[in-house]
Amino acid sequence: MARLVVVQQKQPSFSLLPSSLSEFNGIRLNNPIQYKRKVWQAKGALQVTASSTKKILVMGGTRFIGLFLSRLLVKEGHQVTLFTRGKAPITQQLPGESDQDYADFSSKILHLKGDRKDYEFVKTSLSSEGFDVVYDINGREAEEVEPILDALPKLEQYIYCSSAGVYLKSDLLPHFETDAVDPKSRHKGKLETESLLTSKGVNWTSIRPVYIYGPLNYNPVEEWFFHRLKAGRPIPIPNSGVQITQLGHVKDLAKAFVQVLCNEKASRQVFNISGEKYVTFAGLAKACAKAAGFPEPEIINYNPKEFDFGKKKAFPFRDQHFFASIDKAKSELGWKPEFDLVEGLADSYNLDFGRGTFRKEADFFTDDMILSKSLVLQS
Amino acid sequence: MATVVSSSSLIFSYPTPNLPSPSLSSSPRLYLSSPHLSSSHSSSLSSSISISHSFSIYPISSRRPSLSSFHVKASAEKKKVLIVNTNSGGHAIIGFYFAKELLGSGHEVTVMTVGEESSDKMKKPPFNRFSEIVSAGGQTVWGDPAEVGKIVEGAAFDVVLDNNGKDLDTVRPVVDWAKSAGVKQFLFISSAGIYKPTDEPPHVEGDVVKADAGHVAVETYIAEIFSSWAIFRPQYMIGSGNNKDCEEWFFDRIVRDRPVPIPGSGMQLTNISHARDLSSMLTLAVENPDSSSGNIFNCVSDRAVTLDGMAKLCAQAAGRPLKIVHYDPKAIGSDAKKAFPFRNMHFYAEPRAAKEILGWSSTTNLPEDLKDRFDEYLKIGRDKKPMKFEIDDKILESLKVAVAV
């Protein structure tokens, strides 16, 4: 039913707030880039329960996951507002996105400008607006959630982007949603947020991704490999290289986020969301090469204990097995990843790095430390 | 339901999936006759196995088809089941647990063990406990699978499980006889060892298998002859009545305060299931022939464990300290195969088809199960048994590791 509803073009009068606190975006025209690769479309048919039009607030939404999620939600016919400080452009044409689609999206997406750490502002702006559903894509600490919940007593669903990083490290894998979590992990803020949501009366859903990848990734995951492959450099991998990790494509993740909207199966549930298959570190290096059309790379294994890299990160993944089962999301939500690893990496490469765009400049400082040591050992 | 707890114990309960409404089966099949495969499948629609490079793939793409589940209703019908069971090795235990579970559910069971009842092999578990099958109402017979019809004296069966053969020569006579005798459902214990090694674990049903594996020829043949068939690919098992050492290998060293030599990094993942997981999956297949028909099932628990992790869990179960020593298996030459009970590489399959299609769930709980296993280990006095560790000593010598005498 959502598809039949025409979202009204909002006029500045929508905002009862001072104009400096809300902004709208015009249509940004760009050079048309034909979307040649695998066309990814929101498959509304996948939704188990089609929801009626909702007034949705996205905390964040202008960097990575939110770019794809907000588009899907707008396409579904929902009224979507992004809550950001406005540091990043509210809309940007995505690589591969047609002018028409972008224009359509830009004309419909709304912006609420503010700092989510300004709890008073959050409370007043949200309560005056009223939202049916909140997607919290960038929340880190539990206290950030309180003002949102206080402002929206009739909230139908709070959908939170948590992290599989909350799981307690284990010799028994994969991680299932029922596994023990680590109250001391780097992601304990996510855990505390989940606990808070559980303790409040609100209907909530928590999504735990593993490593997310895809075009416009601001975390140098695949980019780290692409830089080295492009430079024709060997890939330094800590220890054995048989450590197993898991990547999930951002577009599949966005679809999962849409799938839980107004879905009673998702009520007060946690879901791991990532790729179907896992991958070894060495395997990932090869998959990146395959996806981007580079020859199979030379892999150099090293013992990280023999180096002091200082503050620099010598490898983009935690040096351990880290992967989670997506069985629950598949069976409860009818969701499944569309991208397999090489396809997904190709999508990322073709739409991002392969076009000359990336977030972090190549930095081979730690690579050179490792390589010079192994050269010394060889000679 | 999400539980946010901070205890360090692992919670093994797994919610039973709500099965959505039935849809057409799209699970991996050896035959490609179904029209609903997506156009992304690039394989040819033929009934032969296509060989690519040195590997065989079944004529579907290795990409998993979309999730579909059936409403699984256990048939109230009682079945007459024949289990053709191997007389040795890691798989022997499967027939033992399966027989007992079927009998417990009211089915009729005959276990035909290969060879002779008087053979020395029958003095070892699980065979030395076959009285348990008999007292539960089952039949036990012995003989050559090539003469199975004669051995069961013309009895009629609804279901046959071949838990014996690893190649076509051994299984073909059983399949042929079963077909001619009007058996409706044929089940086969294959092996997850036939999956082609991959950089992208886990092995899931439909993944490429090694063309030259004997089991593959058997699987193909069964699919050609029977319309109702199911194939089960197990890994390693623990459980009382095991014919082959699994956890015992670790206990032997741990109770004697010997270092545990583990090849490679110790990070390799494997799957060690309690035998009851396998028998519950097989029983579900017997009771749901329509759902299980035409499917391959990885017959394993739903958790992988690292080699180091297994050693740690065994030590915890034994309540004793652990010292792990890693070594390069290449450095010890031909001893490598006998030096360690598991494959020295990632060997990790997941039971996705069983969960999706049969609504099966795993109950293996290694930390708890290993405690039970250790209790039995002590009860039979194996901790006091004098043992030699020749290969271990060779390894330790090469690594210059001291052993407490």
Side-chain angles (χ1 to χ4, degrees), chain B residues 8 11 23 80 137 173 175 185 250 257 266 300 322 346-347 387:
Chain B
S8 57
I11 302 160
S23 57
K80 295 188 172 65
V175 176
Q185 183 188 36
F250 293 88
D257 290 321
V300 293
L322 169 70
H346 284 311
F347 179 31
M387 280 183 193

Side-chain angles (χ1 to χ4, degrees), chain A residues 131-151:
Chain A
F131 290 97
D132 302 319
V133 174
V134 169
Y135 275 93
D136 188 350
I137 303 298
N138 64 9
R140 288 180 187 275
E141 304 298 333
E143 62 175 38
E144 295 165 15
V145 174
E146 299 248 34
I148 299 173
L149 296 178
D150 289 344

Side-chain angles (χ1 to χ4, degrees), chain B residues 81-92:
Chain B
V81 184
L82 171 68
I83 300 170
V84 177
N85 213 58
T86 178
N87 56 26
S88 70
H91 289 190

Side-chain angles (χ1 to χ4, degrees), chain A residues 38 168 170-183 191 194-195 198 204 208 240 242-244 265 268-270 275-280 282-284 286-287 319-321 323 325 327-328 330-332 334-343, chain B residues 1-20 62-67 69 198-204 207 265-269 302-306 308-310 312-313 316 346 348 350-352 355-356 365-367:
Chain A
K38 175 171 174 160
L168 183 66
S170 173
D171 289 318
L172 287 160
L173 291 161
H175 291 301
F176 288 102
E177 288 83 352
T178 43
D179 281 3
V181 288
D182 183 1
L191 206 49
E194 287 183 353
S195 299
T198 316
W204 60 272
R208 293 176 180 167
S240 64
V242 306
Q243 303 90 316
I244 293 178
K265 293 250 178 76
R268 295 175 179 82
Q269 297 292 329
V270 177
E276 265 307 352
K277 293 267 197 149
Y278 322 125
V279 65
T280 62
L284 179 55
K286 291 189 229 164
D319 185 8
Q320 62 180 76
H321 290 314
F323 52 95
S325 169
D327 283 354
K328 181 181 174 183
K330 282 167 67 181
S331 67
E332 304 278 309
W335 165 88
K336 70 173 174 66
E338 295 290 319
F339 287 96
D340 68 30
L341 184 62
V342 171
E343 271 179 357
Chain B
M1 194 179 74
T3 37
V4 179
V5 294
S6 53
S7 77
S8 57
S9 64
L10 295 164
I11 302 160
F12 282 86
S13 66
Y14 192 74
T16 325
N18 271 330
L19 302 172
S62 59
R63 208 186 142 126
R64 293 217 74 231
S66 59
L67 173 74
S69 300
T198 176
D199 285 332
E200 291 186 48
H203 297 303
V204 300
D207 279 359
S265 64
M267 287 280 283
Q268 305 91 311
L269 286 170
D302 63 5
R303 299 272 194 180
V305 65
T306 60
D308 277 2
M310 181 61 180
K312 281 189 233 163
L313 290 176
Q316 274 165 27
H346 284 311
Y348 168 26
E350 277 188 6
R352 294 186 186 182
K355 280 188 178 177
E356 287 171 24
N365 178 335
L366 274 185

Side-chain angles (χ1 to χ4, degrees), chain A residues 40-182:
Chain A
W40 167 75
Q41 280 164 6
K43 289 188 181 151
L46 273 179
Q47 268 196 287
V48 176
T49 50
S51 52
S52 48
T53 316
K54 297 292 171 187
K55 189 166 174 183
I56 296 177
L57 178 70
V58 178
M59 302 305 291
T62 54
R63 264 183 106 188
F64 187 35
I65 304 170
L67 296 170
F68 299 96
L69 172 60
S70 56
R71 276 161 174 74
L72 287 181
L73 293 172
V74 166
K75 262 219 169 78
E76 294 277 302
H78 301 292
Q79 189 201 103
V80 182
T81 303
L82 307 178
F83 185 113
T84 76
R85 291 168 300 173
K87 286 198 159 192
I90 309 314
T91 63
Q92 50 168 307
Q93 188 163 7
L94 301 184
E97 184 177 34
S98 74
D99 287 354
Q100 179 56 51
D101 282 347
Y102 179 58
D104 191 62
F105 172 72
S106 302
S107 69
K108 293 178 178 153
I109 195 70
L110 303 165
H111 184 229
L112 176 48
K113 180 172 173 178
D115 186 342
R116 72 173 296 172
K117 297 277 211 181
D118 181 351
Y119 300 144
E120 278 313 308
F121 172 75
V122 168
K123 254 201 283 216
T124 47
S125 58
L126 265 53
S127 64
S128 73
E129 254 315 298
F131 290 97
D132 302 319
V133 174
V134 169
Y135 275 93
D136 188 350
I137 303 298
N138 64 9
R140 288 180 187 275
E141 304 298 333
E143 62 175 38
E144 295 165 15
V145 174
E146 299 248 34
I148 299 173
L149 296 178
D150 289 344
L152 302 168
K154 297 214 212 83
L155 189 65
E156 294 173 26
Q157 190 177 14
Y158 195 102
I159 302 171
Y160 183 57
C161 187
S162 180
S163 167
V166 302
Y167 290 114
L168 183 66
K169 193 170 165 185
S170 173
D171 289 318
L172 287 160
L173 291 161
H175 291 301
F176 288 102
E177 288 83 352
T178 43
D179 281 3
V181 288
D182 183 1

